[in-house]
Amino acid sequence: MKGIPLETCDSLRHALGWIMRKALQDGVVDHVLVPSRGPEDSFPWILAARPEPLSDAEPIPPVMSVQGARALSSVTGSTSEGAMLAVMRPCEARASIEVAKLRQSDLSSVVVLTMDCPGAVPLARYRDGDIMEPDPEDPESLRPLCRQCTGFTAAGDLCLVRSGENVLAVPLTEGGRRFAAALGLDGEGDLDEWLEWKEGLGKQRERTGEEARQSLKEDTRGLSGLAAVYSGCVGCRSCRTVCPVCYCRLCFIDMKDRRSPAAAHLDRSVSAGAARLVSDTLLFHIGRMAHMSLSCVACGMCEDACPADIPVGRLVSMVGRETAALFDYTAGEDPDEPLPLSTFLTEELHDFED
Amino acid sequence: MDEFEPRIIGFLCNWCSYAGADLAGTSRLEMPSNLVPIKVMCSSRVDPEMVADAFLRGADGVLIAGCHPGDCHYDKGNYYARRRFAVLKKVVESLGLEADRLRLSWISASEGARFRKVVEEFTEKVRKLGPNPAGKETLL
Ligand code: SF4
Ligand code: SF4
Ligand code: SF4
Ligand code: FES
């Protein structure tokens, strides 16, 4: 595997900035979608049509303010006229693929540019002024799902990576190769050090993940364990609102017809001795897992948004690993592989039939 | 204490399994009365959320029954239903809940006897599992 050396760039940020500006200046794309530095240490996404606003661009913000796939799908709901460059983290790129497969966006004129991701700081810690930058060496500075993220690089159409002291562009798709060529990037550079780093960190993260999932499983085991984990849920549904792959305009849990009638609560209060109100907390979370855990890219956005500190993203992604394994599926990987629930084999899953 | 009588919710597809249940009835086959049938047009109409709802409201068992693979009135509904059911069962399993309380079976319109067998088997299985703790759990 080879990359294209970007000799004039000494950092990933620098290289990302240079590519964004050049792509707009040279007319290779008409728009650039990228997080920017906003007031009060915020990082709103902007869609730039001219190079000047890009001076505020912050392609690797310390926090994930809005999941990039959500930002992207808001402008790519249907085929767009011009070409677009979207600069985002690897998990945002993976979510973009899922969102396109869920037919909520059209990526045919979009080039997704990613980078070696340093991880993101938990939003609450950042807001408190506790941690201002992710430190890849210190897992404590990262969000729990970043600590176990194995897909921290090599996503999208083109990925900017560090191999030793060098910054290189690694095209991953035909679109990425065309984009690189249109920018006039060429040459071949060694990726050995990057590959080694990627493998080492990947293994370490996989181990962290294994352990974390194990202990989460123990904590949540059974109905009472699960009820305990979600007991602090305030029912704000923020986890769903910010999740890139939860796209339904009307979620099952909000359908008026299916809300448990008062009589059901009264019955339950009699049969169980007492009934939790507002009800259906577990139904919401289990239903959501049944609906979308297959497409969860473990980006951690939902956890960041949760005001009650519930490990929602760790739970959905833990379950998602198991549901996806049924179909040998990996969310956000292959844009051409059908979503598991939109296809079937006539001979399969016989273990589930009685 | 009274002997435990399981309550089972059965989502039966209109064209095959409901007709199979009907046949069992008109043939006067004797069987346990623990299953509460709910007619759906196709097994694929059963959103996992409906199953989860019944389960969390304390149903001791939930059955989804549809036409045999290849025989769905809408051609492919039951193949999709099978995938969705597998996903739900996996979710339930991976959360350490009792996945054995969920069952998927294919029963055709002419299989009154099979309908009886499925109901008997599942009732016995659920009887052994005992009452669904969700029925007594306050904090759901
Ligand atoms: S989960 Fe964290 S480390 Fe992984 S790509 Fe997303 S932000 Fe980066
Ligand atoms: S964001 Fe947290 S508190 Fe809000 S609904 Fe989701 S789990 Fe519950
Ligand atoms: S469920 Fe949470 S972790 Fe999974 S894709 Fe949605 S926001 Fe990301
Ligand atoms: S109509 Fe019976 S399963 Fe589809």
Side-chain angles (χ1 to χ4, degrees):
Chain A
M1 196 177 194
K2 295 280 174 203
I4 308 169
L6 301 173
E7 270 137 17
T8 54
C9 301
D10 55 7
S11 72
L12 289 179
R13 267 199 183 81
H14 179 185
L16 289 161
W18 178 74
I19 289 187
M20 287 185 263
R21 263 186 297 276
K22 185 160 169 59
L24 266 188
Q25 262 153 10
D26 295 2
V28 177
V29 297
D30 304 291
H31 297 278
V32 171
L33 177 72
V34 65
S36 67
R37 241 170 224 288
E40 308 277 340
D41 289 331
S42 65
F43 296 93
W45 287 79
I46 53 167
L47 182 67
R50 286 194 311 274
E52 299 77 47
L54 290 179
S55 57
D56 290 328
E58 175 44 88
I60 322 178
V63 290
M64 186 180 282
S65 52
V66 168
Q67 227 277 5
R70 223 163 225 284
L72 182 58
S73 65
S74 67
V75 269
T76 51
S78 53
T79 319
S80 63
E81 300 270 306
M84 188 187 301
L85 174 67
V87 185
M88 49 175 64
R89 298 174 190 273
C91 59
E92 296 173 313
R94 283 196 300 278
S96 302
I97 290 183
E98 282 307 292
V99 174
K101 285 162 76 161
L102 290 160
R103 289 191 268 177
Q104 302 305 304
S105 71
D106 179 330
L107 300 182
S108 51
S109 47
V110 180
V111 174
V112 175
L113 174 64
T114 68
M115 71 301 285
D116 288 342
C117 178
V121 173
L123 204 50
R125 307 288 299 274
Y126 180 81
R127 284 268 149 252
D128 289 348
D130 249 8
I131 313 172
M132 300 317 279
E133 276 298 325
D135 174 1
E137 303 296 313
D138 174 17
E140 290 301 308
S141 73
L142 306 182
R143 303 175 310 161
L145 274 174
C146 292
R147 294 177 204 159
Q148 39 176 290
C149 168
T150 52
F152 47 82
T153 185
D157 297 300
L158 187 71
C159 183
L160 296 199
V161 310
R162 275 208 91 103
S163 194
E165 290 305 301
N166 306 321
V167 176
L168 302 100
V170 182
L172 299 159
T173 63
E174 209 28 63
R177 273 182 279 278
R178 272 201 307 274
F179 176 74
L183 285 181
L185 306 181
D186 65 5
E188 272 199 353
D190 213 40
L191 291 171
D192 295 350
E193 287 179 71
W194 174 67
L195 288 168
E196 202 177 303
W197 165 79
K198 178 170 170 266
E199 204 191 310
L201 186 56
K203 281 198 178 129
Q204 184 191 320
R205 293 268 180 90
E206 187 58 46
R207 276 196 301 276
T208 310
E210 264 320 308
E211 282 165 26
R213 285 187 293 273
Q214 202 64 43
S215 74
L216 189 60
K217 237 183 181 171
E218 268 145 41
D219 291 349
T220 51
R221 203 157 179 79
L223 210 53
S224 45
L226 206 57
V229 170
Y230 289 110
S231 60
C233 173
V234 300
C236 63
R237 317 286 190 237
S238 296
C239 45
R240 174 191 72 194
T241 308
V242 300
C243 172
V245 299
C246 257
Y247 65 86
C248 295
R249 272 177 224 152
L250 181 56
C251 176
F252 75 93
I253 204 78
D254 296 329
M255 289 180 191
K256 218 166 151 215
D257 291 352
R258 76 141 312 289
R259 242 180 254 161
S260 303
H265 305 316
L266 299 173
D267 281 354
R268 186 174 197 95
S269 137
V270 171
S271 64
R276 177 182 188 167
L277 295 175
V278 185
S279 67
D280 294 340
T281 302
L282 276 197
L283 179 63
F284 166 61
H285 290 289
I286 292 178
R288 185 163 170 261
M289 287 177 191
H291 282 167
M292 51 59 70
S293 65
L294 286 165
S295 289
C296 169
V297 296
C299 68
M301 191 67 232
C302 49
E303 267 179 32
D304 251 351
C306 177
D309 222 8
I310 292 166
V312 250
R314 276 165 281 172
L315 279 159
V316 177
S317 62
M318 173 188 88
V319 167
R321 281 170 80 94
E322 296 183 38
T323 52
L326 284 172
F327 311 104
D328 217 353
Y329 185 75
T330 307
E333 202 172 64
D334 179 358
D336 299 319
E337 183 182 3
L339 292 164
L341 292 184
S342 67
T343 182
F344 61 83
L345 300 172
T346 52
E347 290 303 329
E348 63 172 357
L349 302 172
H350 296 309
D351 289 350
F352 289 89
E353 307 168 321
D354 275 302
Chain B
M1 212 181 128
D2 300 341
E3 210 201 318
F4 162 56
E5 275 306 330
R7 270 191 313 174
I8 298 174
I9 301 292
F11 294 102
L12 313 180
C13 98
N14 178 53
W15 304 99
C16 289
S17 308
Y18 196 85
D22 210 25
L23 180 63
T26 50
S27 319
R28 304 195 174 278
L29 300 183
E30 282 204 27
M31 65 180 114
S33 56
N34 304 64
L35 183 116
V36 180
I38 296 177
K39 179 153 80 170
V40 288
M41 287 313 278
C42 175
S43 59
S44 63
R45 168 63 184 91
V46 184
D47 189 298
E49 170 261 312
M50 293 154 68
V51 179
D53 196 15
F55 180 83
L56 290 170
R57 286 208 209 176
D60 300 306
V62 186
L63 169 73
I64 300 177
C67 315
H68 285 272
D71 290 343
C72 171
H73 189 74
Y74 307 98
D75 203 20
K76 302 171 198 159
N78 47 8
Y79 292 120
Y80 291 113
R82 184 167 62 191
R83 283 206 160 197
R84 280 190 220 153
F85 179 79
V87 169
L88 177 67
K89 200 157 174 178
K90 196 45 99 181
V91 169
V92 165
E93 227 173 76
S94 81
L95 295 173
L97 305 174
E98 296 170 297
D100 282 350
R101 295 187 186 277
L102 311 179
R103 173 170 174 147
L104 173 70
S105 294
W106 310 127
I107 303 167
S108 80
S110 61
E111 292 178 323
R114 174 161 163 75
F115 179 78
R116 170 169 71 174
K117 184 166 159 275
V118 168
V119 174
E120 276 174 357
E121 269 177 23
F122 195 35
T123 306
E124 275 329 294
K125 182 168 187 180
V126 170
R127 195 188 298 282
K128 290 210 183 77
L129 289 173
N132 180 356
K136 297 278 176 221
E137 179 66 54
T138 334
L139 291 179
L140 295 188

